[in-house]
Amino acid sequence: MADSAQAQKLVYLVTGGCGFLGEHVVRMLLQREPRLGELRVFDLHLGPWLEELKTGSRWGSLWRGGCGRFPIPSQAGIPTPAVEQMILVSVHMDGIRPVRVTAIQGDVTQAHEVAAAVAGAHVVIHTAGLVDVFGRASPKIIHEVNVQGTRNVIEACVQTGTRFLVYTSSMEVVGPNTKGDPFYRGNEDTPYEAVHRHPYPCSKALAEWLVLEANGRKVCGGLPLVTCALRPTGIYGEGHQIMRDFYRQGLRLGGRLFRAIPASVEHGRVYVGNVAWMHVLAARELERRAALMGGQVYFCYDGSPYKSYEDFNMEFLGPCGLRLVGTRPLVPYWLLVFLAALNVLLQWLLRPLLLYAPLLNPYTLAVANTTFTVSTDKAQRHFGYEPLFSWEDSRTRTILWVQATGGSAQ
Ligand SMILES: NC(=O)C1=CN([C@@H]2O[C@H](COP(=O)(O)OP(=O)(O)OC[C@H]3O[C@@H](n4cnc5c(N)ncnc54)[C@H](O)[C@@H]3O)[C@@H](O)[C@H]2O)C=CC1
Ligand SMILES: C[C@H](CCCC(C)(C)O)[C@H]1CC[C@H]2[C@@H]3[C@H](O)CC4=CC(=O)CC[C@]4(C)[C@H]3CC[C@]12C
């Protein structure tokens, strides 16, 4: 990748580009990546928001320009997945410039679809994943999407000559572990016994390992692949479905939520805009700092305060009119453990009839009830990451989003 913005226009691919985080990564690239020439947005479900980009009708106006539907040519005989292209004029930080946005409806578990999307890309940001800790999907599907999907992305890079891969990992790769050991303000080198049983963290850990292992592999053309993995803590912000679920639950309960977790348990959280910014920066710096960044992991963090999961949510839900009842948990912990186990049983019994997947289960209870916070400057030292959004900004943006969409079906 060349240094000047004029010298080379780069092709970026964002897998999972229509998800909660992926959408923010896409928008961040359009706003803040001066060398962006083409942006490929790959997702199983494209959703309506890409269309809305053209009119700028969601989260502020970014866009002007036209759109056309036409197939991209099949690369090296590989059949292409469903593709829509838009030539858009992005209002970038440093001026107005054309960017080709290519929406690709595809499945990361299908190697040929991934290869077609990756061919010709300079950088891949792989955020696609199945985020399920509620038992909605089977362990097999979680493994297929998160592990086999990641393997397909790596192999596609190797086959097609794409050299730079940023992977969205998770704090869950480290913990909380099955013993519930606290991880207090830890960094990437803090010793911690990472032991998992749940399919989601197991799959993320395996996928992260694949990505890091692939660093240095020769891609088509003979140059080495450069990879790194970012490990966000619990992400919040515009588009966070669980936050909206809690808001709606609070409204149903007459404007109240009931404390279940002690206020002393700290749970790490990070604003989605800062997670997106960290991805954009990491992707940008991977070539220049390949020796330093290649094969590395980075916790993804910002200035969000260390609080319990519920107290943190109240930073947004409070200004939206909800109240958290109780300074201490209202039900004893043993009862929560019992209810969580009961939910597992009910999920199993009801499975032939319906999908019962409540928020409370033994895994989510353990995660919410175990201190896990990070404090590190590794990303700052390695590629100059500083949060783009202050805590006040992040909070305001999230509150406005909850207020705007909390009661609607959006
Ligand atoms: N939400 C959170 O708190 C955290 C999320 N992460 C990671 O961040 C990434 C993004 O997560 P979110 O945006 O929260 O989830 P999300 O569910 O909103 O986004 C994931 C996207 O991947 C797409 N996808 C799923 N299966 C696919 C497949 N087979 N082929 C192509 N696309 C597929 C989905 O359609 C969705 O748009 C995931 O890899 C997740 O593991 C990491 C840490 C915390
Ligand atoms: C749903 C949980 C809160 C329920 C509280 C209860 C049991 C009292 O009703 C959420 C608590 C912690 C969340 C997880 C955490 O933020 C880390 C995550 C990282 C990821 O990579 C994916 C999402 C998640 C597992 C996140 C999921 C919801 C919680 C378990």
Side-chain angles (χ1 to χ4, degrees), residues 84 89 116 119 140 156 163 170 185 213 232 245 266 300 313 319 325 347 363 385 404:
E84 179 178 339
V89 181
K140 183 170 176 280
R163 286 198 54 212
S170 169
R185 317 277 163 98
E213 263 278 303
D245 292 348
E266 285 186 357
C300 208
N313 285 353
V325 179
Q347 181 169 75
Y363 181 75
Y385 165 77

Coordinates of all heavy atoms in Angstrom, one line a residue, residues 84 89 116 119 140 156 163 170 185 213 232 245 266 300 313 319 325 347 363 385 404:
E84 N -24.6 -6.4 -5.7 CA -25.2 -5.2 -6.2 C -24.1 -4.1 -6.0 O -23.4 -4.0 -4.9 CB -26.4 -4.8 -5.4 CG -27.0 -3.5 -5.8 CD -28.3 -3.1 -5.0 OE1 -28.9 -4.0 -4.4 OE2 -28.6 -1.9 -5.0
V89 N -20.9 8.9 -3.8 CA -20.0 9.9 -3.5 C -19.9 10.1 -2.0 O -20.9 10.5 -1.4 CB -20.4 11.2 -4.2 CG1 -19.4 12.3 -3.9 CG2 -20.6 11.0 -5.7
A116 N -14.6 -15.5 -4.2 CA -15.1 -14.6 -5.2 C -15.1 -13.2 -4.7 O -14.7 -12.2 -5.3 CB -16.5 -14.9 -5.7
A119 N -11.2 -12.0 -4.0 CA -10.3 -11.8 -5.1 C -10.2 -10.3 -5.5 O -11.2 -9.6 -5.7 CB -10.9 -12.6 -6.3
K140 N -22.9 -26.9 16.2 CA -22.3 -27.2 14.9 C -22.4 -26.0 14.0 O -21.4 -25.7 13.3 CB -23.1 -28.4 14.3 CG -22.6 -28.9 13.0 CD -23.3 -30.2 12.6 CE -22.9 -30.7 11.2 NZ -23.5 -30.0 10.2
A156 N -9.0 -18.0 1.2 CA -9.3 -17.1 0.1 C -8.2 -16.0 -0.1 O -7.7 -15.7 -1.2 CB -10.6 -16.4 0.3
R163 N -3.2 -9.6 1.1 CA -2.2 -9.8 2.1 C -2.5 -9.3 3.5 O -1.8 -9.6 4.5 CB -0.9 -8.9 1.6 CG -0.2 -9.6 0.5 CD 1.2 -9.0 0.4 NE 1.9 -9.0 1.7 CZ 2.8 -8.1 2.1 NH1 3.1 -7.1 1.3 NH2 3.4 -8.3 3.2
S170 N -12.7 -11.6 20.2 CA -13.6 -11.2 21.3 C -12.8 -11.4 22.6 O -11.9 -12.3 22.7 CB -14.8 -12.1 21.3 OG -15.5 -11.9 22.5
R185 N -8.8 -5.4 35.1 CA -7.9 -4.4 34.4 C -6.7 -5.1 33.8 O -5.6 -4.6 33.9 CB -7.5 -3.3 35.4 CG -8.5 -2.8 36.3 CD -9.4 -1.7 35.7 NE -10.6 -1.5 36.4 CZ -10.8 -0.6 37.3 NH1 -9.8 0.3 37.6 NH2 -11.9 -0.4 37.9
E213 N -2.1 -18.0 13.4 CA -1.3 -19.0 12.8 C -1.0 -18.7 11.3 O 0.1 -19.0 10.8 CB -2.0 -20.3 12.8 CG -1.6 -21.2 14.0 CD -0.4 -22.0 13.7 OE1 -0.3 -22.7 12.7 OE2 0.6 -21.8 14.5
P232 N -12.7 -7.2 21.2 CA -13.5 -6.2 21.9 C -14.1 -6.8 23.2 O -14.3 -8.0 23.2 CB -14.7 -5.9 20.9 CG -14.2 -6.5 19.6 CD -13.2 -7.5 19.9
D245 N -33.5 -4.6 23.9 CA -34.4 -5.6 24.6 C -34.6 -5.2 26.0 O -35.7 -5.3 26.6 CB -33.7 -7.0 24.5 CG -33.7 -7.5 23.0 OD1 -34.4 -6.9 22.2 OD2 -33.0 -8.5 22.8
E266 N -17.4 -5.9 37.9 CA -17.1 -5.0 36.8 C -17.1 -5.8 35.5 O -16.5 -6.8 35.4 CB -15.7 -4.4 37.0 CG -15.6 -3.3 38.0 CD -14.3 -2.7 38.0 OE1 -13.4 -3.1 37.2 OE2 -14.1 -1.7 38.8
C300 N -9.7 -4.5 22.7 CA -10.4 -3.4 22.1 C -11.1 -2.7 23.2 O -12.1 -3.3 23.8 CB -11.4 -3.9 21.1 SG -11.7 -2.8 19.8
N313 N -25.6 -0.3 31.8 CA -26.8 -0.1 30.9 C -27.6 1.0 31.4 O -28.2 1.7 30.6 CB -27.6 -1.4 30.9 CG -27.0 -2.5 30.0 OD1 -26.0 -2.3 29.3 ND2 -27.6 -3.7 30.0
P319 N -31.5 7.8 31.5 CA -31.9 9.0 30.8 C -33.1 8.7 29.9 O -33.8 9.7 29.4 CB -30.7 9.5 30.0 CG -29.6 8.9 30.7 CD -30.0 7.6 31.3
V325 N -34.0 -1.0 40.2 CA -34.5 -1.1 41.5 C -33.5 -2.0 42.4 O -33.2 -3.1 41.9 CB -35.9 -1.8 41.6 CG1 -36.4 -1.9 43.0 CG2 -36.9 -0.9 40.7
Q347 N -35.7 -24.9 27.6 CA -35.2 -24.8 26.2 C -35.2 -26.2 25.5 O -35.7 -26.3 24.4 CB -33.9 -24.2 26.1 CG -33.3 -24.0 24.7 CD -32.1 -23.1 24.7 OE1 -31.0 -23.6 25.0 NE2 -32.2 -21.9 24.3
Y363 N -24.5 -19.8 31.3 CA -23.4 -19.1 30.7 C -23.5 -17.6 30.8 O -22.5 -17.0 31.3 CB -23.2 -19.5 29.2 CG -22.0 -18.9 28.6 CD1 -20.8 -19.3 28.9 CD2 -22.2 -17.8 27.8 CE1 -19.6 -18.7 28.3 CE2 -21.1 -17.1 27.2 CZ -19.8 -17.6 27.5 OH -18.7 -17.0 27.0
Y385 N -3.6 3.7 18.2 CA -5.0 3.8 18.5 C -5.3 4.7 19.7 O -4.7 4.5 20.8 CB -5.6 2.4 18.8 CG -7.0 2.4 19.5 CD1 -8.1 2.8 18.7 CD2 -7.1 2.2 20.8 CE1 -9.3 2.8 19.4 CE2 -8.3 2.3 21.5 CZ -9.4 2.6 20.7 OH -10.7 2.6 21.3
A404 N -34.7 7.0 20.1 CA -35.3 7.0 18.7 C -35.8 5.7 18.3 O -36.9 5.7 17.6 CB -34.2 7.5 17.7

